[in-house]
mmCIF file of all heavy atoms in Angstrom:
data_model
loop_
_atom_site.group_PDB
_atom_site.id
_atom_site.type_symbol
_atom_site.label_atom_id
_atom_site.label_comp_id
_atom_site.label_asym_id
_atom_site.label_seq_id
_atom_site.Cartn_x
_atom_site.Cartn_y
_atom_site.Cartn_z
ATOM 1 N N THR V 1 50.070 189.846 -79.025
ATOM 2 C CA THR V 1 49.284 189.166 -77.987
ATOM 3 C C THR V 1 50.170 188.306 -77.094
ATOM 4 O O THR V 1 50.004 188.283 -75.869
ATOM 5 C CB THR V 1 48.195 188.299 -78.628
ATOM 6 O OG1 THR V 1 47.358 189.116 -79.446
ATOM 7 C CG2 THR V 1 47.355 187.609 -77.567
ATOM 8 N N VAL V 2 51.145 187.623 -77.719
ATOM 9 C CA VAL V 2 52.067 186.777 -76.947
ATOM 10 C C VAL V 2 52.865 187.621 -75.963
ATOM 11 O O VAL V 2 53.043 187.250 -74.792
ATOM 12 C CB VAL V 2 53.008 186.008 -77.895
ATOM 13 C CG1 VAL V 2 54.132 185.327 -77.106
ATOM 14 C CG2 VAL V 2 52.234 184.975 -78.693
ATOM 15 N N TYR V 3 53.349 188.789 -76.408
ATOM 16 C CA TYR V 3 54.134 189.656 -75.536
ATOM 17 C C TYR V 3 53.277 190.272 -74.429
ATOM 18 O O TYR V 3 53.766 190.525 -73.319
ATOM 19 C CB TYR V 3 54.798 190.767 -76.351
ATOM 20 C CG TYR V 3 55.964 190.311 -77.182
ATOM 21 C CD1 TYR V 3 56.156 190.802 -78.475
ATOM 22 C CD2 TYR V 3 56.891 189.402 -76.686
ATOM 23 C CE1 TYR V 3 57.238 190.388 -79.248
ATOM 24 C CE2 TYR V 3 57.963 188.981 -77.447
ATOM 25 C CZ TYR V 3 58.125 189.474 -78.724
ATOM 26 O OH TYR V 3 59.200 189.059 -79.471
ATOM 27 N N LEU V 4 52.012 190.541 -74.741
ATOM 28 C CA LEU V 4 51.137 191.174 -73.760
ATOM 29 C C LEU V 4 50.528 190.181 -72.776
ATOM 30 O O LEU V 4 50.075 190.581 -71.705
ATOM 31 C CB LEU V 4 50.004 191.928 -74.473
ATOM 32 C CG LEU V 4 50.359 193.292 -75.062
ATOM 33 C CD1 LEU V 4 49.201 193.819 -75.898
ATOM 34 C CD2 LEU V 4 50.699 194.281 -73.959
ATOM 35 N N TYR V 5 50.522 188.896 -73.129
ATOM 36 C CA TYR V 5 49.842 187.900 -72.290
ATOM 37 C C TYR V 5 50.339 187.870 -70.844
ATOM 38 O O TYR V 5 49.519 187.779 -69.923
ATOM 39 C CB TYR V 5 49.980 186.512 -72.917
ATOM 40 C CG TYR V 5 49.415 185.414 -72.046
ATOM 41 C CD1 TYR V 5 48.047 185.249 -71.911
ATOM 42 C CD2 TYR V 5 50.257 184.555 -71.332
ATOM 43 C CE1 TYR V 5 47.527 184.259 -71.102
ATOM 44 C CE2 TYR V 5 49.750 183.570 -70.521
ATOM 45 C CZ TYR V 5 48.380 183.416 -70.411
ATOM 46 O OH TYR V 5 47.868 182.449 -69.602
ATOM 47 N N PRO V 6 51.655 187.947 -70.586
ATOM 48 C CA PRO V 6 52.090 187.893 -69.174
ATOM 49 C C PRO V 6 51.458 188.965 -68.297
ATOM 50 O O PRO V 6 51.257 188.744 -67.102
ATOM 51 C CB PRO V 6 53.609 188.086 -69.279
ATOM 52 C CG PRO V 6 53.956 187.570 -70.626
ATOM 53 C CD PRO V 6 52.809 187.948 -71.506
ATOM 54 N N MET V 7 51.114 190.122 -68.879
ATOM 55 C CA MET V 7 50.513 191.190 -68.082
ATOM 56 C C MET V 7 49.129 190.808 -67.598
ATOM 57 O O MET V 7 48.628 191.390 -66.627
ATOM 58 C CB MET V 7 50.464 192.480 -68.910
ATOM 59 C CG MET V 7 50.258 193.735 -68.086
ATOM 60 S SD MET V 7 51.621 194.033 -66.943
ATOM 61 C CE MET V 7 50.948 195.390 -65.984
ATOM 62 N N ALA V 8 48.501 189.825 -68.249
ATOM 63 C CA ALA V 8 47.174 189.386 -67.827
ATOM 64 C C ALA V 8 47.241 188.484 -66.595
ATOM 65 O O ALA V 8 46.217 188.239 -65.954
ATOM 66 C CB ALA V 8 46.477 188.649 -68.966
ATOM 67 N N LEU V 9 48.432 187.999 -66.264
ATOM 68 C CA LEU V 9 48.602 187.138 -65.107
ATOM 69 C C LEU V 9 48.816 187.981 -63.855
ATOM 70 O O LEU V 9 49.324 189.093 -63.910
ATOM 71 C CB LEU V 9 49.809 186.218 -65.301
ATOM 72 C CG LEU V 9 49.802 185.310 -66.531
ATOM 73 C CD1 LEU V 9 51.116 184.561 -66.619
ATOM 74 C CD2 LEU V 9 48.629 184.341 -66.495
ATOM 75 N N SER V 10 48.422 187.435 -62.726
ATOM 76 C CA SER V 10 48.713 188.115 -61.463
ATOM 77 C C SER V 10 50.175 187.881 -61.097
ATOM 78 O O SER V 10 50.815 186.928 -61.555
ATOM 79 C CB SER V 10 47.806 187.574 -60.346
ATOM 80 O OG SER V 10 48.191 186.257 -59.989
ATOM 81 N N PHE V 11 50.718 188.760 -60.257
ATOM 82 C CA PHE V 11 52.104 188.605 -59.836
ATOM 83 C C PHE V 11 52.294 187.353 -58.983
ATOM 84 O O PHE V 11 53.396 186.807 -58.933
ATOM 85 C CB PHE V 11 52.560 189.851 -59.071
ATOM 86 C CG PHE V 11 52.940 190.997 -59.949
ATOM 87 C CD1 PHE V 11 52.129 192.106 -60.070
ATOM 88 C CD2 PHE V 11 54.111 190.946 -60.682
ATOM 89 C CE1 PHE V 11 52.486 193.163 -60.895
ATOM 90 C CE2 PHE V 11 54.484 191.992 -61.516
ATOM 91 C CZ PHE V 11 53.659 193.110 -61.619
ATOM 92 N N ILE V 12 51.241 186.899 -58.331
ATOM 93 C CA ILE V 12 51.334 185.648 -57.573
ATOM 94 C C ILE V 12 51.600 184.480 -58.508
ATOM 95 O O ILE V 12 52.460 183.621 -58.247
ATOM 96 C CB ILE V 12 50.034 185.415 -56.772
ATOM 97 C CG1 ILE V 12 49.902 186.435 -55.641
ATOM 98 C CG2 ILE V 12 50.004 183.991 -56.206
ATOM 99 C CD1 ILE V 12 50.900 186.277 -54.525
ATOM 100 N N VAL V 13 50.857 184.429 -59.619
ATOM 101 C CA VAL V 13 51.049 183.358 -60.607
ATOM 102 C C VAL V 13 52.440 183.449 -61.209
ATOM 103 O O VAL V 13 53.150 182.436 -61.349
ATOM 104 C CB VAL V 13 49.966 183.444 -61.698
ATOM 105 C CG1 VAL V 13 50.244 182.427 -62.798
ATOM 106 C CG2 VAL V 13 48.585 183.220 -61.102
ATOM 107 N N THR V 14 52.862 184.660 -61.572
ATOM 108 C CA THR V 14 54.194 184.852 -62.145
ATOM 109 C C THR V 14 55.279 184.414 -61.168
ATOM 110 O O THR V 14 56.219 183.701 -61.538
ATOM 111 C CB THR V 14 54.401 186.331 -62.515
ATOM 112 O OG1 THR V 14 53.448 186.704 -63.511
ATOM 113 C CG2 THR V 14 55.807 186.558 -63.056
ATOM 114 N N GLY V 15 55.159 184.844 -59.906
ATOM 115 C CA GLY V 15 56.159 184.469 -58.913
ATOM 116 C C GLY V 15 56.235 182.980 -58.687
ATOM 117 O O GLY V 15 57.327 182.404 -58.575
ATOM 118 N N THR V 16 55.074 182.325 -58.628
ATOM 119 C CA THR V 16 55.048 180.877 -58.419
ATOM 120 C C THR V 16 55.667 180.135 -59.598
ATOM 121 O O THR V 16 56.455 179.197 -59.416
ATOM 122 C CB THR V 16 53.603 180.389 -58.207
ATOM 123 O OG1 THR V 16 53.032 181.092 -57.096
ATOM 124 C CG2 THR V 16 53.557 178.899 -57.945
ATOM 125 N N ALA V 17 55.320 180.560 -60.825
ATOM 126 C CA ALA V 17 55.863 179.911 -62.018
ATOM 127 C C ALA V 17 57.381 180.060 -62.096
ATOM 128 O O ALA V 17 58.101 179.088 -62.377
ATOM 129 C CB ALA V 17 55.203 180.491 -63.266
ATOM 130 N N TRP V 18 57.876 181.271 -61.837
ATOM 131 C CA TRP V 18 59.319 181.484 -61.889
ATOM 132 C C TRP V 18 60.041 180.806 -60.722
ATOM 133 O O TRP V 18 61.210 180.423 -60.851
ATOM 134 C CB TRP V 18 59.632 182.976 -61.921
ATOM 135 C CG TRP V 18 59.519 183.546 -63.298
ATOM 136 C CD1 TRP V 18 58.434 184.136 -63.872
ATOM 137 C CD2 TRP V 18 60.544 183.539 -64.301
ATOM 138 N NE1 TRP V 18 58.708 184.499 -65.156
ATOM 139 C CE2 TRP V 18 60.006 184.160 -65.451
ATOM 140 C CE3 TRP V 18 61.859 183.096 -64.331
ATOM 141 C CZ2 TRP V 18 60.740 184.323 -66.616
ATOM 142 C CZ3 TRP V 18 62.597 183.260 -65.495
ATOM 143 C CH2 TRP V 18 62.042 183.865 -66.620
ATOM 144 N N LYS V 19 59.369 180.650 -59.612
ATOM 145 C CA LYS V 19 59.973 179.915 -58.491
ATOM 146 C C LYS V 19 60.227 178.468 -58.884
ATOM 147 O O LYS V 19 61.287 177.906 -58.593
ATOM 148 C CB LYS V 19 59.047 179.978 -57.277
ATOM 149 C CG LYS V 19 59.597 179.261 -56.048
ATOM 150 C CD LYS V 19 58.644 179.390 -54.881
ATOM 151 C CE LYS V 19 59.198 178.699 -53.641
ATOM 152 N NZ LYS V 19 58.263 178.829 -52.485
ATOM 153 N N TRP V 20 59.257 177.851 -59.557
ATOM 154 C CA TRP V 20 59.454 176.483 -60.044
ATOM 155 C C TRP V 20 60.545 176.434 -61.111
ATOM 156 O O TRP V 20 61.380 175.534 -61.122
ATOM 157 C CB TRP V 20 58.149 175.938 -60.622
ATOM 158 C CG TRP V 20 57.072 175.756 -59.611
ATOM 159 C CD1 TRP V 20 57.208 175.656 -58.253
ATOM 160 C CD2 TRP V 20 55.665 175.650 -59.872
ATOM 161 N NE1 TRP V 20 55.987 175.499 -57.649
ATOM 162 C CE2 TRP V 20 55.015 175.482 -58.620
ATOM 163 C CE3 TRP V 20 54.887 175.684 -61.024
ATOM 164 C CZ2 TRP V 20 53.641 175.347 -58.502
ATOM 165 C CZ3 TRP V 20 53.511 175.539 -60.922
ATOM 166 C CH2 TRP V 20 52.888 175.364 -59.670
ATOM 167 N N PHE V 21 60.529 177.407 -62.016
ATOM 168 C CA PHE V 21 61.485 177.412 -63.124
ATOM 169 C C PHE V 21 62.917 177.574 -62.624
ATOM 170 O O PHE V 21 63.842 176.977 -63.177
ATOM 171 C CB PHE V 21 61.124 178.539 -64.094
ATOM 172 C CG PHE V 21 62.034 178.632 -65.282
ATOM 173 C CD1 PHE V 21 61.948 177.714 -66.323
ATOM 174 C CD2 PHE V 21 62.990 179.639 -65.369
ATOM 175 C CE1 PHE V 21 62.799 177.794 -67.419
ATOM 176 C CE2 PHE V 21 63.842 179.727 -66.460
ATOM 177 C CZ PHE V 21 63.748 178.796 -67.491
ATOM 178 N N LEU V 22 63.109 178.403 -61.577
ATOM 179 C CA LEU V 22 64.452 178.687 -61.083
ATOM 180 C C LEU V 22 64.904 177.754 -59.962
ATOM 181 O O LEU V 22 66.058 177.833 -59.532
ATOM 182 C CB LEU V 22 64.517 180.141 -60.593
ATOM 183 C CG LEU V 22 64.286 181.219 -61.661
ATOM 184 C CD1 LEU V 22 64.226 182.598 -61.008
ATOM 185 C CD2 LEU V 22 65.373 181.184 -62.722
ATOM 186 N N ASP V 23 64.014 176.915 -59.474
ATOM 187 C CA ASP V 23 64.380 175.978 -58.407
ATOM 188 C C ASP V 23 65.426 174.992 -58.925
ATOM 189 O O ASP V 23 65.193 174.290 -59.916
ATOM 190 C CB ASP V 23 63.146 175.214 -57.925
ATOM 191 C CG ASP V 23 63.422 174.423 -56.662
ATOM 192 O OD1 ASP V 23 64.367 173.598 -56.656
ATOM 193 O OD2 ASP V 23 62.695 174.614 -55.671
ATOM 194 N N PRO V 24 66.606 174.914 -58.284
ATOM 195 C CA PRO V 24 67.659 174.018 -58.789
ATOM 196 C C PRO V 24 67.251 172.551 -58.830
ATOM 197 O O PRO V 24 67.783 171.782 -59.637
ATOM 198 C CB PRO V 24 68.806 174.241 -57.795
ATOM 199 C CG PRO V 24 68.536 175.569 -57.179
ATOM 200 C CD PRO V 24 67.045 175.703 -57.124
ATOM 201 N N GLY V 25 66.306 172.154 -57.969
ATOM 202 C CA GLY V 25 65.932 170.750 -57.914
ATOM 203 C C GLY V 25 64.970 170.307 -58.991
ATOM 204 O O GLY V 25 64.997 169.141 -59.412
ATOM 205 N N ILE V 26 64.105 171.214 -59.458
ATOM 206 C CA ILE V 26 63.079 170.812 -60.432
ATOM 207 C C ILE V 26 63.032 171.730 -61.659
ATOM 208 O O ILE V 26 62.307 171.435 -62.620
ATOM 209 C CB ILE V 26 61.679 170.792 -59.784
ATOM 210 C CG1 ILE V 26 61.322 172.199 -59.270
ATOM 211 C CG2 ILE V 26 61.625 169.768 -58.665
ATOM 212 C CD1 ILE V 26 59.902 172.295 -58.736
ATOM 213 N N GLY V 27 63.786 172.802 -61.655
ATOM 214 C CA GLY V 27 63.666 173.800 -62.710
ATOM 215 C C GLY V 27 64.725 173.704 -63.780
ATOM 216 O O GLY V 27 65.126 172.604 -64.198
ATOM 217 N N LEU V 28 65.200 174.879 -64.214
ATOM 218 C CA LEU V 28 66.127 174.970 -65.334
ATOM 219 C C LEU V 28 67.387 174.152 -65.105
ATOM 220 O O LEU V 28 67.835 173.404 -65.990
ATOM 221 C CB LEU V 28 66.485 176.444 -65.561
ATOM 222 C CG LEU V 28 67.510 176.730 -66.656
ATOM 223 C CD1 LEU V 28 66.968 176.331 -68.021
ATOM 224 C CD2 LEU V 28 67.899 178.205 -66.646
ATOM 225 N N GLN V 29 67.981 174.259 -63.925
ATOM 226 C CA GLN V 29 69.231 173.547 -63.647
ATOM 227 C C GLN V 29 69.039 172.045 -63.755
ATOM 228 O O GLN V 29 69.855 171.346 -64.368
ATOM 229 C CB GLN V 29 69.742 173.916 -62.256
ATOM 230 C CG GLN V 29 70.993 173.149 -61.842
ATOM 231 C CD GLN V 29 71.514 173.585 -60.481
ATOM 232 O OE1 GLN V 29 71.796 174.758 -60.273
ATOM 233 N NE2 GLN V 29 71.635 172.648 -59.560
#
């Protein structure tokens, strides 16, 4: 279920979440 859960999200949600995660100012860096 954990592995399949991302497929339940829309690509808009995925893109927005990863944009925040990869943003050098507020994300992983």
Side-chain angles (χ1 to χ4, degrees):
T1 302
V2 170
Y3 286 140
L4 281 172
Y5 175 74
M7 197 63 188
L9 302 175
S10 71
F11 280 107
I12 291 291
V13 174
T14 298
T16 303
W18 278 93
K19 181 179 181 180
W20 294 340
F21 181 75
L22 297 174
D23 190 305
I26 61 175
L28 177 65
Q29 176 177 303

